[in-house]
């Protein structure tokens, strides 16, 4: 390829699962052209991944589909974990989670994909089904990919970027020769969607562990439950999951007087914990299962993949539409890889704790877990972790804090602040609107803590030279103390809803210096 090449599309997305469809919707919202391909005939018809977390719903609200997700899903506000009759933990999302969506939304993956695909088409996009990525080459000017179309013909497409959202067996990852490092946990599990006759409330999640065995109940909108169980190593992994097998584990480990029947879908799996160290090579990126796979304990996988897309989407758009430096894209791996690592460590620990057969361990767990999880700070930490609102990018090179008087001086606050640069922005009231309402997911949101109208006008004058889209709001309230600002200051919120910049001082020059990280 040469630098004068004519591109067919800005971004080629390989894979039209939740991760790929989310990325397509985000790019199209920004006006970035993209081609989405998938070797399948259509969106998934299987329920697969089930839980959508609060942080994902906050992102989906900016896309305009959160309400549809909730309409077609089943909100569950409480998680309960038992060991026999001992309540190990009870997490109340309704009362602990500071989010417009204080629950885990149970919605099958096929419905998730259907909503995202419909939204993609409503934005003017589509998916080329029955189309397979055969191979590609890439250099510092872009990507040239060879596709096998549904009619059996091959064609070549030139794109500025390629994103592999093509799953755990990713051709894109294999082509880049990136190691998929990790382990396999030698325990087999089974899933089933079926009817559960029991006294368990239908708006709560329940998990039971005992003697290295496990069963969990996830209620669904149609009256069914998703059941997850551990299975015996002697069971053939290719054999069908039977009702007798499920009932046996429930009788031994789960809730009493519970009968299961009428299964509509079953599956077996073994837990793999793997990830790449780097989320891209040049202009080729990986997202979702192509970059990381892990235990389904905690229902984190699909959410993490979709949030990969929300992180990468605005950065690609800012480079392609608003002439930001391609160096901005380096922050994708910088920000997301620690999330992948933390997730793999957390889900592996939780999985191994579930599978512990030691009677001594169970004895200690049954005594200590109820005490520890009854501590308010522990409950809050667990709720924030599971809902993913606790994810932050404080160590990212594109977020920053400063005192205001001396450049490159780390900020030192007199007051203890609760929000740091890199944190998820809180949904606080900004003048007459909630912050989440103001954030369309396109512009930077600039909060100017100053009562002086001339400063507001000065900011506008200086920012007019910037190509980056922004909205600026003059704010005079006690909100500034959340960010450790005593008097005047600046707070910038990124399109993905994370704090980009906190400054103690209201000079436009401080903000412009921060925006140089983008330009």
């Amino acid at each position: 390829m040469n630098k004068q090449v004519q591109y067919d599309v800005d971004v080629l997305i390989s894979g039209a699962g939740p991760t790929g469809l989310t990325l397509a919707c985000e790019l199209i919202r920004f006006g970035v052209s993209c081609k989405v391909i998938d070797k399948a005939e259509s969106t998934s018809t299987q329920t697969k991944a089930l839980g959508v977390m609060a942080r994902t719903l906050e992102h989906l609200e900016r896309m305009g589909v959160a309400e549809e997700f909730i309409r077609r899903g089943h909100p569950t506000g409480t998680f309960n974990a038992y060991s026999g009759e001992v309540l190990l933990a009870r997490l109340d999302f309704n009362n602990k989670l500071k989010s417009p969506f204080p629950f885990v939304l149970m919605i099958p993956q096929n419905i998730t994909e259907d909503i995202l695909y419909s939204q993609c088409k409503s934005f003017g996009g589509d998916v080329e089904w029955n189309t397979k990525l055969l191979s590609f080459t890439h250099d510092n000017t872009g990507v040239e990919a060879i596709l096998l179309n549904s009619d059996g013909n091959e064609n070549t497409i030139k794109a500025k970027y390629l994103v592999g959202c093509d799953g755990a067996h990713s051709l894109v990852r294999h082509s880049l020769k990136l190691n998929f490092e990790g382990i396999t946990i030698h325990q087999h599990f089974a899933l089933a969607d079926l009817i559960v006759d029991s006294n368990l409330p239908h708006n709560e999640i329940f998990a039971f562990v005992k003697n290295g065995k496990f069963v969990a109940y996830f209620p669904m909108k149609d009256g069914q439950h998703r059941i997850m169980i551990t299975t015996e190593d002697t069971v053939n992994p290719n054999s069908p999951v039977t009702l007798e097998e499920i009932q046996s584990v429930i009788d031994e480990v789960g809730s009493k007087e519970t009968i299961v029947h009428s299964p509509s879908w079953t599956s077996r799996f073994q837990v793999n914990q793997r990830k790449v160290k780097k989320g891209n090579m040049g202009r080729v990126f990986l997202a979702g299962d192509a970059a990381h796979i892990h235990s389904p304990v905690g229902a984190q996988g699909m959410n993490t993949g979709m949030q990969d897309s929300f992180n990468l989407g605005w950065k690609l758009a800012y480079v392609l539409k608003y002439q930001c430096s391609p160096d901005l894209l380096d922050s994708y791996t910088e920000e997301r890889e620690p999330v992948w690592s933390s997730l793999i460590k957390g889900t592996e620990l939780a999985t191994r704790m579930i599978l512990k057969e030691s009677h001594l361990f169970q004895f200690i767990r049954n005594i200590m877990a109820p005490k520890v999880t009854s501590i308010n700070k522990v409950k809050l930490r667990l709720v924030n972790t599971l809902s993913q609102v606790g994810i932050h990018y404080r160590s990212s090179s594109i977020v920053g804090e400063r005192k205001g008087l001396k450049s490159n001086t780390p900020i030192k606050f007199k007051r203890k602040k609760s929000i740091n640069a890199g944190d998820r922005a809180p949904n606080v009231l900004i003048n007459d609107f909630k912050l989440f309402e103001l954030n369309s997911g396109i512009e930077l949101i600039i909060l100017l803590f100053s009562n002086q109208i001339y400063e507001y006008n000065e900011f506008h004058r200086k920012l007019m030279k910037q190509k980056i889209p922004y909205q600026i709001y003059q704010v005079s309230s006690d909100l500034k103390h959340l960010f450790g600002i005593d008097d005047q200051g600046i707070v910038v919120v990124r399109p993905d809803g994370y704090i980009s910049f906190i400054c103690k001082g209201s000079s436009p020059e401080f903000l412009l210096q921060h925006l140089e990280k983008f330009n």
Side-chain angles (χ1 to χ4, degrees):
M1 290 184 287
N2 61 67
K3 292 186 178 180
Q4 303 303 315
V5 67
Q6 294 295 310
Y7 297 100
D8 298 301
V9 71
D10 288 331
V11 182
L12 173 62
I13 301 172
S14 179
T19 301
L21 290 170
T22 297
L23 181 59
C25 287
E26 284 296 279
L27 293 175
I28 296 168
R29 286 204 311 132
F30 275 98
V32 173
S33 66
C34 63
K35 178 189 285 286
V36 189
I37 62 169
D38 199 294
K39 61 185 179 182
E41 295 182 354
S42 65
T43 55
S44 177
T45 58
Q46 297 181 334
T47 55
K48 296 183 184 177
L50 188 63
V52 174
M53 296 298 171
R55 186 57 179 147
T56 305
L57 287 167
E58 290 173 1
H59 287 301
L60 291 169
E61 185 177 36
R62 290 193 295 274
M63 189 191 288
V65 292
E67 186 176 334
E68 180 68 4
F69 266 78
I70 294 168
R71 186 184 72 81
R72 297 178 68 179
H74 182 66
T76 55
T78 307
F79 170 78
N80 306 274
Y82 282 87
S83 176
E85 301 295 327
V86 178
L87 178 61
L88 301 176
R90 179 175 172 85
L91 303 179
D92 186 347
F93 289 83
N94 288 317
N95 293 320
K96 293 294 181 184
L97 186 56
K98 294 182 178 179
S99 169
F101 311 102
F103 47 79
V104 179
L105 184 70
M106 294 299 153
I107 181 168
Q109 182 173 326
N110 59 313
I111 297 179
T112 291
E113 291 186 17
D114 181 64
I115 295 171
L116 291 172
Y117 183 39
S118 296
Q119 190 73 347
C120 177
K121 290 192 291 186
S122 75
F123 288 158
D126 209 334
V127 176
E128 295 187 12
W129 301 106
N130 296 302
T131 302
K132 184 178 181 180
L133 174 65
L134 295 179
S135 64
F136 64 89
T137 57
H138 65 107
D139 59 23
N140 61 4
T141 67
V143 179
E144 187 172 287
I146 300 176
L147 309 181
L148 179 64
N149 298 325
S150 57
D151 58 9
N153 295 321
E154 294 182 10
N155 76 300
T156 300
I157 181 173
K158 296 180 175 66
K160 295 176 183 176
Y161 294 93
L162 166 64
V163 185
C165 304
D166 48 346
H169 302 289
S170 169
L171 181 143
V172 176
R173 187 187 67 245
H174 285 297
S175 299
L176 294 176
K177 295 181 169 56
L178 291 174
N179 290 332
F180 208 32
E181 299 176 352
I183 63 168
T184 298
I185 296 178
H186 297 291
Q187 169 67 54
H188 294 276
F189 293 81
L191 299 173
D193 295 345
L194 39 65
I195 301 296
V196 175
D197 291 335
S198 76
N199 295 322
L200 298 178
H202 199 68
N203 61 346
E204 298 186 14
I205 302 167
F206 287 84
F208 296 84
V209 294
K210 186 179 180 181
N211 299 332
K213 296 185 178 182
F214 167 80
V215 59
Y217 307 77
F218 304 93
M220 300 166 69
K221 187 180 180 69
D222 58 4
Q224 287 189 315
H225 274 78
R226 162 72 54 82
I227 296 288
M228 181 192 298
I229 63 168
T230 50
T231 62
E232 299 293 339
D233 293 340
T234 55
V235 174
N236 184 338
N238 297 315
S239 65
V241 181
T242 66
L243 279 174
E244 292 76 17
E245 182 181 5
I246 298 169
Q247 189 67 58
S248 175
V249 177
I250 289 174
D251 291 343
E252 183 177 352
V253 182
S255 55
K256 304 303 180 185
E257 299 179 358
T258 296
I259 303 295
V260 295
H261 59 91
S262 308
S264 61
W265 175 79
T266 63
S267 179
R268 295 188 188 276
F269 68 93
Q270 193 171 13
V271 173
N272 280 284
Q273 301 273 103
R274 302 183 184 278
K275 71 171 185 66
V276 293
K277 287 185 177 179
K278 187 171 175 58
N280 75 295
M281 185 175 288
R283 289 178 174 243
V284 183
F285 291 80
L286 298 172
D289 287 356
H292 50 86
I293 56 173
H294 28 75
S295 169
V297 172
Q300 303 289 291
M302 182 181 70
N303 291 272
T304 303
M306 292 170 71
Q307 289 181 46
D308 291 344
S309 293
F310 286 116
N311 184 285
L312 180 59
W314 73 269
K315 294 171 183 177
L316 281 170
Y318 271 41
V319 170
L320 291 165
K321 294 289 289 184
Y322 305 120
Q323 289 76 57
C324 285
S325 167
D327 293 344
L328 175 64
L329 298 172
D330 293 339
S331 66
Y332 172 67
T333 291
E334 185 183 0
E335 293 183 347
R336 295 304 293 170
E337 192 278 334
V339 174
W340 306 337
S341 294
S342 176
L343 178 58
I344 284 176
K345 290 176 183 176
T347 54
E348 181 180 345
L349 176 62
T351 302
R352 292 194 182 280
M353 288 183 69
I354 286 170
L355 301 177
K356 283 280 189 180
E357 296 184 41
S358 163
H359 290 292
L360 176 60
F361 172 81
Q362 293 181 68
F363 176 76
I364 295 172
R365 180 186 63 195
N366 291 358
I367 292 174
M368 295 304 299
K371 294 180 180 179
V372 173
T373 60
S374 65
I375 300 170
N376 191 55
K377 286 185 178 180
V378 173
K379 282 187 176 183
L380 187 59
R381 177 79 176 267
L382 289 171
V383 165
N384 286 346
T385 298
L386 285 171
S387 64
Q388 299 195 342
V389 302
I391 290 172
H392 67 79
Y393 305 131
R394 293 175 190 170
S395 299
S396 172
S397 62
I398 64 166
V399 305
E401 299 179 348
R402 63 177 295 169
K403 262 178 134 175
L405 296 177
K406 297 180 181 179
S407 64
N408 302 319
T409 302
I411 193 165
K412 296 185 183 298
F413 295 101
K414 293 180 181 178
R415 296 175 181 268
K416 184 178 180 181
K417 59 193 174 78
S418 58
I419 307 294
N420 296 278
D423 286 353
R424 161 184 169 268
N427 191 27
V428 291
L429 195 65
I430 303 297
N431 299 334
D432 294 326
F433 297 94
K434 288 282 191 172
L435 181 56
F436 286 9
E437 296 175 275
L438 299 177
N439 186 2
S440 68
I442 303 292
E443 304 94 348
L444 295 178
I445 301 295
I446 301 170
L447 306 180
L448 174 60
F449 291 96
S450 170
N451 293 321
Q452 303 300 322
I453 189 63
Y454 75 87
E455 288 191 339
Y456 178 81
N457 293 334
E458 179 69 4
F459 266 81
H460 266 304
R461 189 179 68 81
K462 291 288 182 76
L463 288 169
M464 283 176 63
K465 300 177 182 178
Q466 297 287 319
K467 297 186 185 303
I468 298 174
Y470 69 91
Q471 295 182 54
I472 184 168
Y473 298 92
Q474 194 163 17
V475 185
S476 56
S477 73
D478 289 337
L479 287 179
K480 60 190 176 185
H481 299 310
L482 282 175
F483 308 99
I485 297 171
D486 294 317
D487 187 15
Q488 297 182 336
I490 307 164
V491 174
V492 180
V493 181
R494 303 179 346 180
D496 60 353
Y498 289 89
I499 302 292
S500 176
F501 184 52
I502 299 175
C503 179
K504 195 174 182 181
S506 57
S507 169
E509 301 304 323
F510 301 150
L511 176 58
L512 294 175
Q513 287 175 20
H514 172 69
L515 294 181
E516 288 176 3
K517 294 183 178 183
F518 291 22
N519 293 324

